[in-house]
């Protein structure tokens, strides 16, 4: 213990002596400098005030003296430092490009290897003993420095070549990536724009133009003002005569229904043998009744009724009416936010509220609506008749229920485009490549319909599709299923389609057609209709009608 205390005291004294010695030497130097300056001040030239030499001047002089005593740095030393710094900067640059090449996973692995080798060569070059001496030694050997500079210049030239080659690849890679990012961004914008466009187009197509709304209101006003003129008259016996030519038209559009009837009558050879069964909804019944009371088809027979007049059409019998009561289906139809409404863009059209209307499903109940008829021609309200259609009643249906024009060509309009064949039930029962056909002009053999029990078939499949797993919505998919193997293909000249979406239909094909169909969004009564097709429809609009003129329904 005593030995340890002795060693501690000795260390304390050593530290004290090491501090005192430098202080003592500094004091001696300052004293000698003072004596020297004292002699210099005492011998100042005549005329110079001794007080001019102040203590500040004395301290400045001492400082300069001490700086002068320090050894001067070798100028080659600064150059060596600068060259080493340049080399280290090159190493950092090379490593950066090597990291980029590695991260970008460039196919040229040779480039990555060259960068790594170049970085290794730099490190080896700088670590040579003669080169390290340039940093460590106080005096630099000029020959060694010059050789170092020459070799370093060669390394730098090689590095520049590598970098220039890498820049070409790196810039191309960056441009490619930037282009890909731009393409993806534009594609995303395009997708959103398409959805917005489809939604806007749907709204524009399905909204009621002001002139049409005005016409319905004017006609309804007339019905209210003069109810005695439009009371139901006695039933016309021709309405149930199976020997006449019967048409079924289901519509809530007064002007469209009038064009169908007017065009059919004007092109009929014997108008008195034609009977039109117009069915609308309760809201438009008054307007439709007034129109055909004031503008009856010349020589022909017409019946105007509402869906509500057919009492058997209720939710206990009709699957669609029962399904429309479900909350999920109502949400599907009435989801108002565009972002949600456009989730399923390809089937957005089926969100049209017309699919809630029973008018769209009446076509499956024709035998019950007209029990005394053998045949009936179903016409959509967006068609125009251009020829006499009585020839359709002469066609041999070969025991089939439905006479329709087929729409398939190539892989288009096959069953698999309308139905979900991933469902095992459909895969088992139907051919996915079976040819589709069109609604719009369909000749129905009601006797064959009753025999085949087609309405029951329709009910079965509609019930199976309550969750929309077999098809989305609409009437064509259940029609394809219901009349599978019971459809008679008609000549295509009977029914030309696409005037509501295809601007490239040949004019001779349109003019030679018995019926032209404005299926699609560009309906002829809308401003967005194709101008080249509009005249085929407007020529049958009754512009002399008083209420049409009052509502500024343009040509």
């Amino acid at each position: 213990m005593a030995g340890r205390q002795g060693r501690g005291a000795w260390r304390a004294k050593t530290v004290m002596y090491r501090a005192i010695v430098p202080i003592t030497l500094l004091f001696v130097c300052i004293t000698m400098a003072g004596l020297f300056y004292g002699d210099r001040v005492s011998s100042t030239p005549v005329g110079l005030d001794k007080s001019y030499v102040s203590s500040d001047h004395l301290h400045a002089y001492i400082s300069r003296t001490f700086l002068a005593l320090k050894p001067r740095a070798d100028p080659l030393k600064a150059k060596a430092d600068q060259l080493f710094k340049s080399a280290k900067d090159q190493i950092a640059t090379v490593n950066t490009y090597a990291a980029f090449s590695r991260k970008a996973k460039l196919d040229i692995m040779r480039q990555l290897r060259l960068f790594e080798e170049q970085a290794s060569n730099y490190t080896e070059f700088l670590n040579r003993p003669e080169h390290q001496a340039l940093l460590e030694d106080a005096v630099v050997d000029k020959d060694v420095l010059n050789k170092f500079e020459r070799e370093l210049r060669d390394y730098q030239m090689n590095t520049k070549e590598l970098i220039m080659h890498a820049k070409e690849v790196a810039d191309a890679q960056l441009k490619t990536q930037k282009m890909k990012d731009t393409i993806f961004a534009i594609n995303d914008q395009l997708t959103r724009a398409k959805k917005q466009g489809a939604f806007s187009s749907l709204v524009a197509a399905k909204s009621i133009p002001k002139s049409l709304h005005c016409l319905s209101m004017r006609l309804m006003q007339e019905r209210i003002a003069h109810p005695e003129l439009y009371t139901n008259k006695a039933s016309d016996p021709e309405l149930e005569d199976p020997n006449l030519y019967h048409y079924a038209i289901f519509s809530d559009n007064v002007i469209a229904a009038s064009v169908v009837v007017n065009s059919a009558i004007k092109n009929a050879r014997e108008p008195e043998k034609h009977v039109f069964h117009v069915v609308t909804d309760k809201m438009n019944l008054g307007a439709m009744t007034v129109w055909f009371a004031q503008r009856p088809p010349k020589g022909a027979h017409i019946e105007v009724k509402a869906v509500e007049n057919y009492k058997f059409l209720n939710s206990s019998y009709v699957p669609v009416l029962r399904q429309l009561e479900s909350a999920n289906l109502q949400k599907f139809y009435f989801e108002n936010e565009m972002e949600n409404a456009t989730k399923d863009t390809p089937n957005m059209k089926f969100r049209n509220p017309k699919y809630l209307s029973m008018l769209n499903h009446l076509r499956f109940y024709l035998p019950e609506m007209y029990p005394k008829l053998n045949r009936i021609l179903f016409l959509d309200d967006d068609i125009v008749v251009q020829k006499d259609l009585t020839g359709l009643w002469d066609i041999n249906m070969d025991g089939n229920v439905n006479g329709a024009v087929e729409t398939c060509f190539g892989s288009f309009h096959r069953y698999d485009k309308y139905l979900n064949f991933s469902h095992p039930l459909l895969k088992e029962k139907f051919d996915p490549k079976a040819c589709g056909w069109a609604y719009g002009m369909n000749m129905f053999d009601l006797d064959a319909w009753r025999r085949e029990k087609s309405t029951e078939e329709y009910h079965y499949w509609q019930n199976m599709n309550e969750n929309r797993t077999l098809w989305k919505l609409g009437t064509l998919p259940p029609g394809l299923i219901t009349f599978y193997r019971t459809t008679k293909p008609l000549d295509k000249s009977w029914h030309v389609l696409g005037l509501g979406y295809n601007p490239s239909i040949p004019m001779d094909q349109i003019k030679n057609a018995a019926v032209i169909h404005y299926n699609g969004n560009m309906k002829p009564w809308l401003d967005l209709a194709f101008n080249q097709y509009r005249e085929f429809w407007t020529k049958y609009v009754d512009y002399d009608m008083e209420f049409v003129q009052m509502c500024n329904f343009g040509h």
Side-chain angles (χ1 to χ4, degrees):
M1 186 70 178
R4 290 182 183 176
Q5 290 178 350
R7 283 195 297 272
W10 181 81
R11 284 182 188 139
K13 288 178 182 179
T14 302
V15 172
M16 182 177 68
Y17 289 149
R18 285 179 181 175
I20 291 173
V21 170
I23 295 172
T24 305
L25 288 174
L26 179 62
F27 179 76
V28 171
C29 289
I30 293 173
T31 304
M32 289 176 68
L35 292 173
F36 174 75
Y37 262 91
D39 294 341
R40 291 288 298 272
V41 171
S42 62
S43 60
T44 52
V46 178
L48 182 63
D49 189 358
K50 291 184 178 182
S51 64
Y52 176 77
V53 182
S54 65
S55 60
D56 292 337
H57 288 79
L58 178 60
H59 293 157
Y61 181 82
I62 293 172
S63 299
R64 287 195 298 272
T65 302
F66 273 99
L67 289 173
L69 292 175
K70 291 181 67 176
R72 288 190 176 182
D74 188 348
L76 297 178
K77 180 71 172 176
K79 185 175 182 180
D81 291 342
Q82 185 178 2
L83 291 174
F84 264 85
K85 183 178 182 302
S86 174
K88 289 179 179 179
D89 290 343
Q90 292 286 324
I91 292 176
T93 305
V94 167
N95 284 330
T96 301
Y97 274 92
F100 175 81
S101 299
R102 195 178 299 108
K103 184 177 180 181
K105 296 181 180 178
L106 297 176
D107 295 333
I108 356 175
M109 296 306 296
R110 177 175 171 275
Q111 185 184 74
L112 176 60
R113 180 175 54 80
L114 288 175
F115 275 122
E116 290 176 342
E117 286 180 359
Q118 188 72 352
S120 177
N121 291 340
Y122 266 116
T123 305
E124 182 184 353
F125 174 68
L126 294 179
N127 288 335
R128 291 178 190 174
E130 63 271 23
H131 296 162
Q132 286 296 314
L134 295 174
L135 287 177
E136 296 171 358
D137 296 348
V139 179
V140 175
D141 188 330
K142 185 175 181 180
D143 294 335
V144 175
L145 180 62
N146 290 337
K147 182 182 177 183
F148 175 79
E149 185 177 9
R150 286 193 303 272
E151 292 182 10
L152 180 60
R153 193 178 296 118
D154 292 338
Y155 276 105
Q156 289 175 335
M157 289 294 295
N158 291 335
T159 302
K160 284 182 180 178
E161 291 179 5
L162 281 176
I163 290 175
M164 287 190 62
H165 180 67
K167 274 186 175 179
E168 294 177 2
V169 178
D171 289 349
Q173 185 76 10
L174 288 172
K175 288 177 181 176
T176 303
Q177 187 59 44
K178 187 175 182 180
M179 187 175 293
K180 284 182 179 178
D181 293 341
T182 303
I183 290 172
F184 282 127
I186 292 175
N187 186 61
D188 188 48
Q189 292 177 4
L190 179 62
T191 302
R192 289 199 302 269
K194 281 183 175 179
K195 288 184 177 182
Q196 292 173 352
F199 184 77
S200 300
S201 177
L202 185 66
V203 170
K206 306 309 176 185
S207 299
I208 301 175
K210 183 178 180 181
S211 56
L212 286 183
H213 182 70
C214 168
L215 180 61
S216 296
M217 294 300 101
R218 292 285 186 180
L219 291 169
M220 194 62 196
Q221 184 180 22
E222 171 67 15
R223 171 69 177 82
I224 295 171
H226 306 94
E228 69 283 355
L229 299 178
Y230 308 105
T231 53
N232 292 328
K233 298 179 182 179
S235 179
D236 190 346
E238 283 80 3
L239 297 178
E240 296 180 340
D241 187 350
N243 297 315
L244 301 180
Y245 304 112
H246 292 265
Y247 301 82
I249 304 167
F250 307 144
S251 175
D252 57 1
N253 186 327
V254 177
I255 200 75
S258 72
V259 167
V260 175
V261 174
N262 195 24
S263 63
I265 291 301
K266 285 190 175 182
N267 291 287
R269 286 191 292 267
E270 300 176 289
E272 67 278 2
K273 293 184 178 181
H274 294 258
V275 181
F276 296 90
H277 302 271
V278 178
V279 181
T280 186
D281 54 28
K282 192 173 183 179
M283 185 174 67
N284 291 282
L285 178 61
M288 201 77 75
T289 301
V290 172
W291 177 279
F292 287 108
Q294 292 198 7
R295 287 291 191 273
K298 295 179 180 179
H301 310 275
I302 192 162
E303 173 189 43
V304 179
K305 298 183 77 173
V307 177
E308 290 76 9
N309 295 134
Y310 298 95
K311 301 301 181 184
F312 69 91
L313 296 173
N314 52 65
S315 58
S316 62
Y317 177 66
V318 179
V320 168
L321 291 178
R322 183 169 62 255
Q323 291 166 9
L324 290 178
E325 294 175 355
S326 71
N328 287 336
L329 200 60
Q330 290 179 10
K331 181 181 178 182
F332 179 83
Y333 276 117
F334 295 110
E335 216 170 16
N336 290 324
E337 292 186 14
M338 191 193 70
E339 182 180 354
N340 295 326
T342 57
K343 285 176 185 173
D344 190 12
T345 305
N347 296 290
M348 191 192 307
K349 65 179 182 178
F350 297 124
R351 293 180 182 272
N352 183 352
K354 80 173 185 178
Y355 293 109
L356 282 174
S357 172
M358 191 59 207
L359 281 175
N360 205 43
H361 296 270
L362 281 181
R363 63 194 72 188
F364 292 106
Y365 299 96
L366 291 171
E368 293 153 291
M369 295 171 69
Y370 310 107
K372 295 184 180 181
L373 301 183
N374 307 121
R375 284 193 180 190
I376 194 166
L377 183 64
F378 170 77
L379 296 176
D380 267 340
D381 64 357
D382 55 354
I383 64 99
V384 172
V385 179
Q386 300 188 127
K387 293 183 179 180
D388 181 76
L389 300 180
T390 54
L392 288 168
W393 277 263
D394 297 330
I395 293 176
N396 183 1
M397 294 287 285
D398 298 322
N400 290 298
V401 178
N402 173 34
V405 169
E406 292 183 329
T407 56
C408 62
F409 60 96
S411 62
F412 294 96
H413 298 288
R414 302 284 177 177
Y415 268 47
D416 59 357
K417 302 299 180 184
Y418 304 98
L419 303 171
N420 177 23
F421 274 90
S422 64
H423 197 288
L425 193 58
L426 290 177
K427 190 181 296 185
E428 179 186 352
K429 298 284 187 181
F430 304 97
D431 179 9
K433 298 305 176 185
C435 189
W437 44 266
Y439 269 127
M441 190 211 73
N442 304 79
M443 174 56 71
F444 288 111
D445 186 330
L446 300 184
D447 291 333
W449 186 315
R450 297 180 186 103
R451 184 180 65 251
E452 295 291 338
K453 298 182 178 180
S454 297
T455 300
E456 288 83 347
E457 182 81 0
Y458 161 70
H459 281 178
Y460 170 79
W461 289 104
Q462 192 66 51
N463 284 323
M464 294 295 295
N465 193 49
E466 185 170 0
N467 295 323
R468 303 189 303 279
T469 55
L470 303 182
W471 67 86
K472 292 298 180 182
L473 287 170
T475 53
L476 182 56
L480 295 174
I481 289 178
T482 301
F483 304 116
Y484 184 63
R485 300 192 188 282
T486 60
T487 295
K488 168 81 173 181
L490 302 180
D491 187 274
K492 293 186 183 297
S493 63
W494 281 110
H495 185 193
V496 171
L497 298 105
L499 279 73
Y501 69 88
N502 184 1
S504 306
I505 304 173
M507 281 297 168
D508 58 339
Q509 187 177 339
I510 294 174
K511 292 177 181 178
N512 293 329
V515 170
I516 55 175
H517 193 174
Y518 292 83
N519 58 311
N521 286 338
M522 282 67 170
K523 301 299 184 188
W525 54 83
L526 299 175
D527 291 337
L528 47 79
F530 293 121
N531 289 328
Q532 67 267 34
Y533 304 147
R534 193 191 296 269
E535 62 175 327
F536 297 104
W537 185 82
T538 55
K539 65 190 289 187
Y540 295 107
V541 175
D542 189 352
Y543 290 106
D544 295 330
M545 172 45 153
E546 174 189 2
F547 299 119
V548 171
Q549 294 178 356
M550 291 173 65
C551 292
N552 298 319
F553 199 90
H555 290 263

